[in-house]
Amino acid sequence: MSTSASETEPDAGVRSLRGDFYDGVSSQRAAARLEIARDGLATLVVEGRAIVSAPLRALTVSARVGNVPCAIRFAGGGTFSTPENDLVDRALTDLGAPRAGSRLHGLESRWSVVLVGIAVVALFVRWLVAIGLPKVAERVAFAVPPEAAQKISRHTLDVLDRTMFAPTTLPAERQDQLRARLDGVVAAARSELHFQLHFRASPTIGANAFALPSGDVVLTDELVALATHDDEIVAVLAHEVGHVVHRHALRSVIQASGLTLLVLAVSGDAGAVSSFTATVPTMLVEMRYSREHEREADRHALEYLRAAGIAPASFTSLLDRIVASAGGADDGPAFLSTHPSPAERRAMFADR
Amino acid sequence: MICPNDYCGAEVGDDAARCQLCGTGLVTSDPRDRVEGDRDGEARAALEGPTSHGAAGLLPSGETGAGTPALAPPVERQLAPAVERWPFEFTGDTTEYFRIWVVNLAFTLVTLGIYSAWAKVRTTRYFYGNTRVAGASFEYLANPVAILKGRLLAAVLFGLYWFAGDIVVASWILSLGFTVVFPWMVVRGLAFRAHNSTYRNIRFRFTGAYREANVAYLFRPILAFVTLGLIYPLVRWHQQRFVTDHAQLGTTQFRFGATSEQFIELYVKGTIFVLFGGLVAALAFVMRVWGIGLLALVFMWYAWFDFSASFQNLVYNRSELGPHRLESTLDGRSLFWLHLVNSVAMLASLGLLIPWVRIRTARYRAARLVVAAPAGLAGLDGIVAAPAVGVSAAGSEVAEIFDVDIGF
């Protein structure tokens, strides 16, 4: 084993690591050295005296993380702590027992790997947000039995009745007329859900319509008043039924949860990231999802209108009037950014 | 004349028998016998007593103290407590941590979260290992598999809660269950983290019991809710006391010395400012005066950080580990700027500057924390380890998924 090199330098094979020894019984610190011989025998030397020897491979060496001090644990519970990570790594590699974490550390030390990592993260996040999450949400939403959805929404309508709605002033025959038109839309959608049309007056909300996952569709008197022809109202009903049939409410909730998890994963523990910073990107993505859902509901409406022989432009002409009545583009920014632009919708519903 | 105690140095009346500040007895000698400028000599003489031979220059030779009315009675050695300080230090490097963070993130995403347990251990080891005080760093020993088990359990619970959300009754039951289980999660989380944290190879410990945790994290918060939040400062005080009083480093106990009055005072002041800001902001936004609204929001944010800094300072400054105290010098203004820059950086860089933000926050906090203890003691060398005991991770990871802040 001895070569001419080791004859001229007797300690050539010995690696000497400087550090501190903590015996694990008290917090007393002792300056120490760990001498690792070629054959792997590690000797702890404190104040010039060898305290304990053991094969390095038999000792517990902490995993490499950056340049954090390396802790080498002895069977008796004492720990030798040294900043000389590279020496430890080399000693262990020479013994054929690479240190835990050294491969990861190798990856983390190369900028090429890091750049690839950034690309992977960017692509993955983009894929997740644009495709992965919406797909999962869709699958899960359709897997949930429709009866479950019906139970939650009942409650929502009551709350709205108490806060924003007043009883409708529409005459009963008018209501029945419109209900019959809704039946037509629902029949075309071939949904298992039980749809019900409700009429309300709401000066606060103005002209609008929405559908709850339970199949409750609400039309405001103001919207009915704005319509010049029943076909326009039918177009809106078709859009709302589209929302319900495609389970948009549930999918939104799933997507929001998924987003929260993603933000949590990227930002790690909540320490450095205030909830405000996490909210901004989440909100932006949720608005994008909302626009996607609106487009899907629009497509559903378009299909029905074509099948029923109604001019598609009926939808956008009423829509434009609703926007105008709400004060134009300025008022209620949420209305616009959660929906596709009016220009886009007009293009989609243009009469062919 | 000057008090002969080197650490005191106070002005004392010429005919005083003792220094009022530190209590050192004074040799009230005939001023003519005083050796000018020989403070050391005087001190030595004072300490050694009037019969010492070393009192040359102070006593006319041959005389003893007993018969000289000008001499003070024998002196006992009494030094004013000198304080030794060990500032915290954070030695982490931004570029180094950035690389670790990217690799962690890439693996975590690609493994759909499984690697997150390893990522967490590596990150915590990095931050612990780069936090130094009194010449030694901390170490985090947790086993990633234990953390993974905890996270899987948390994911299952989360999934259950989520699916039960469709069935209203079930979600109520689960919410209730979560509230009841919360104190358990706090205790497990603290115990796990403490057990896996060491300083100079001595483990920390958390010995809080479930019964007391239930009172601190379940019953009292319910009471606070019932009283519309009026007793919330007291609830927080009890919680902090519970956490600190049951924490140990080896066999040395932490102690929490802040009073409930201090907590109340802090919360009242903080609430007033934040509410004031919030009110102004709300009014401004309703009246569409955006400029004032924005200013009010900034004021609110600032007041919040002011409160946060004072709160941290209070908790740290009144926590003791044996004879050791902490000196925390956070202040609202620098905390506000720190977080402002952090938030802007993270948003503007689309998250790429998160590692930079973490490192600079750690450096900031370390720079404002000091361990202090009376000099001449064993200091941080005198802590004795406690017998070994094992702790599971499930509580800790469940607590983290549900966004529970249980840090000390």
Side-chain angles (χ1 to χ4, degrees):
Chain A
M1 199 165 79
S2 61
T3 65
S4 54
S6 66
E7 276 165 4
T8 48
E9 296 165 290
D11 286 326
V14 176
R15 289 190 170 91
S16 182
L17 280 65
R18 61 179 164 82
D20 295 307
F21 180 67
Y22 303 106
D23 61 6
V25 173
S26 88
S27 57
Q28 193 91 32
R29 177 163 62 138
R33 276 194 346 266
L34 192 72
E35 320 239 312
I36 307 174
R38 248 181 205 265
D39 61 356
L41 188 72
T43 308
L44 181 72
V45 178
V46 178
E47 283 169 13
R49 286 182 309 126
I51 305 287
V52 60
S53 282
L56 184 63
R57 297 179 60 154
L59 301 175
T60 311
V61 178
S62 65
R64 179 88 192 253
V65 179
N67 278 315
V68 155
C70 170
I72 299 175
R73 254 167 209 89
F74 290 87
T79 297
F80 175 73
S81 173
T82 173
E84 307 204 72
N85 278 290
D86 290 332
L87 281 180
V88 175
D89 285 2
R90 259 180 277 152
L92 280 168
T93 314
D94 286 349
L95 292 170
R99 182 174 166 199
S102 54
R103 252 177 315 174
L104 272 172
H105 176 78
L107 286 175
E108 287 160 2
S109 307
R110 289 206 284 276
W111 277 106
S112 53
V113 174
V114 170
L115 286 171
V116 168
I118 295 177
V120 165
V121 170
L123 285 171
F124 196 89
V125 168
R126 171 135 185 83
W127 172 83
L128 203 70
V129 165
I131 302 170
L133 196 53
K135 267 229 157 46
V136 166
E138 199 182 329
R139 293 267 166 83
V140 173
F142 279 102
V144 171
E147 305 85 59
Q150 304 224 227
K151 293 203 186 106
I152 349 162
S153 322
R154 252 282 86 93
H155 186 61
T156 317
L157 189 56
D158 296 335
V159 171
L160 288 167
D161 279 339
R162 264 178 277 143
T163 50
M164 298 208 216
F165 289 153
T168 184
T169 51
L170 233 59
E173 318 91 61
R174 188 81 179 95
Q175 295 184 30
D176 289 338
Q177 254 182 337
L178 292 171
R179 283 204 179 93
R181 301 302 299 270
L182 176 67
D183 289 342
V185 175
V186 170
R190 282 190 294 270
S191 164
E192 298 157 356
L193 286 169
H194 172 71
F195 282 81
Q196 217 186 340
L197 188 52
H198 304 270
F199 295 89
R200 297 285 187 275
S202 180
T204 10
I205 301 186
N208 218 323
F210 62 89
L212 297 171
S214 56
D216 293 298
V217 181
V218 179
L219 279 179
T220 60
D221 291 354
E222 290 80 358
L223 183 142
V224 175
L226 267 183
T228 54
H229 191 285
D230 276 5
D231 281 349
E232 293 178 343
I233 301 178
V234 170
V236 169
L237 286 176
H239 173 96
E240 295 304 328
V241 167
H243 275 314
V244 178
V245 162
H246 286 95
R247 318 265 177 114
H248 286 161
L250 194 56
R251 281 159 70 180
S252 293
V253 170
I254 301 174
Q255 279 162 190
S257 307
L259 268 184
T260 315
L261 276 175
L262 181 65
V263 170
L264 204 69
V266 170
S267 64
D269 60 289
V273 183
S274 73
S275 47
F276 170 75
T277 326
T279 317
V280 172
T282 312
M283 249 177 37
L284 290 173
V285 176
E286 278 175 7
M287 281 190 206
R288 176 216 167 105
Y289 286 154
S290 165
R291 287 196 293 275
E292 291 294 319
H293 288 172
E294 292 300 328
R295 276 189 203 103
E296 201 171 33
D298 279 352
R299 279 196 294 274
H300 181 100
L302 187 62
E303 266 174 46
Y304 175 75
L305 290 177
R306 290 222 178 102
I310 302 173
S314 319
F315 180 60
T316 38
S317 54
L318 179 56
L319 205 62
D320 287 340
R321 256 173 272 137
I322 294 175
V323 174
S325 81
D330 274 357
D331 217 80
F335 174 81
L336 273 183
S337 51
T338 51
H339 288 63
S341 70
E344 187 190 329
R345 294 175 108 177
R346 246 173 269 134
M348 188 190 239
F349 283 87
D351 282 328
R352 309 277 157 148
Chain B
M1 60 175 174
I2 309 286
C3 171
N5 182 350
D6 272 353
Y7 294 104
C8 178
E11 278 291 326
V12 189
D14 279 349
D15 51 358
R18 290 187 170 281
C19 166
Q20 276 102 344
L21 197 63
C22 67
T24 308
L26 305 167
V27 179
T28 49
S29 57
D30 190 342
R32 291 168 301 175
D33 293 327
R34 181 193 277 265
V35 175
E36 280 304 319
D38 184 19
R39 272 190 65 207
D40 285 353
E42 281 178 321
R44 245 177 283 126
L47 292 171
E48 285 161 350
T51 57
S52 130
H53 296 301
L58 276 171
L59 286 176
S61 45
E63 289 187 37
T64 63
T68 313
L71 285 174
V75 173
E76 68 269 31
R77 182 191 183 94
Q78 206 180 85
L79 293 172
V83 172
E84 219 179 317
R85 287 194 168 80
W86 298 277
F88 273 85
E89 211 192 322
F90 184 71
T91 54
D93 175 59
T94 308
T95 40
E96 185 180 53
Y97 178 58
F98 178 77
R99 297 194 295 254
I100 296 176
W101 179 78
V102 168
V103 172
N104 274 352
L105 191 55
F107 279 137
T108 301
L109 287 177
V110 163
T111 58
L112 296 176
I114 304 282
Y115 187 78
S116 68
W118 280 262
K120 161 146 186 206
V121 168
R122 283 184 81 75
T123 304
T124 313
R125 281 186 61 83
Y126 185 80
F127 278 85
Y128 269 43
N130 278 307
T131 306
R132 304 183 68 84
V133 72
S137 66
F138 294 81
E139 208 190 340
Y140 186 62
L141 302 174
N143 178 5
V145 175
I147 293 189
L148 181 65
K149 281 193 237 165
R151 288 194 167 185
L152 285 173
L153 175 65
V156 165
L157 288 178
F158 186 71
L160 271 177
Y161 176 76
W162 200 87
F163 275 103
D166 292 340
I167 309 152
V168 181
V169 170
S171 90
W172 270 108
I173 292 178
L174 272 173
S175 295
L176 205 68
F178 177 78
T179 326
V180 167
V181 150
F182 180 63
W184 174 79
M185 294 195 314
V186 170
V187 169
R188 300 316 306 151
L190 288 170
F192 180 80
R193 179 151 249 218
H195 177 77
N196 285 299
S197 305
T198 68
Y199 176 70
R200 296 191 182 189
N201 202 19
I202 306 284
R203 283 187 197 258
F204 285 86
R205 282 178 85 190
F206 179 73
T207 53
Y210 300 131
R211 207 156 58 140
E212 211 180 321
N214 277 323
V215 176
Y217 290 95
L218 188 59
F219 301 138
R220 284 212 188 88
I222 291 179
L223 213 62
F225 179 74
V226 163
T227 60
L228 298 173
L230 281 174
I231 64 161
Y232 185 68
L234 284 174
V235 174
R236 285 295 287 127
W237 178 71
H238 276 289
Q239 286 174 352
Q240 200 59 56
R241 204 175 67 157
F242 171 70
V243 169
T244 312
D245 281 353
H246 292 286
Q248 298 172 326
L249 174 56
T251 51
T252 311
Q253 189 71 41
F254 279 90
R255 264 193 332 274
F256 190 60
T259 63
S260 47
E261 286 83 18
Q262 288 169 316
F263 263 65
I264 293 173
E265 190 185 322
L266 204 65
Y267 269 89
V268 165
K269 183 173 139 202
T271 311
I272 289 177
F273 281 120
V274 170
L275 277 183
F276 173 71
L279 214 67
V280 171
L283 279 172
F285 283 126
V286 161
M287 297 196 295
R288 292 164 190 266
V289 186
W290 309 118
I292 297 203
L294 214 64
L295 273 175
L297 274 182
V298 170
F299 175 80
M300 249 178 81
W301 214 26
Y302 184 91
W304 162 251
F305 282 116
D306 202 57
F307 165 77
S308 187
S310 305
F311 183 80
Q312 284 273 48
N313 285 344
L314 179 64
V315 168
Y316 278 140
N317 291 340
R318 296 271 184 254
S319 298
E320 300 162 2
L321 174 65
H324 301 92
R325 274 140 196 72
L326 288 169
E327 291 177 1
S328 172
T329 49
L330 293 172
D331 72 280
R333 204 174 83 158
S334 53
L335 206 62
F336 171 77
W337 281 113
L338 177 83
H339 279 264
L340 182 66
V341 172
N342 284 356
S343 300
V344 169
M346 283 190 286
L347 281 175
S349 66
L350 299 176
L352 275 176
L353 283 178
I354 286 178
W356 176 76
V357 159
R358 291 237 193 111
I359 296 280
R360 81 187 284 259
T361 305
R363 272 201 205 123
Y364 168 84
R365 289 187 170 269
R368 308 273 172 144
L369 196 59
V370 170
V371 176
L377 301 180
L380 286 161
D381 286 348
I383 296 170
V384 174
V389 97
V391 168
S392 89
S396 167
E397 289 319 299
V398 170
E400 292 213 355
I401 284 249
F402 283 89
D403 198 44
V404 167
D405 180 49
I406 49 178
F408 162 54

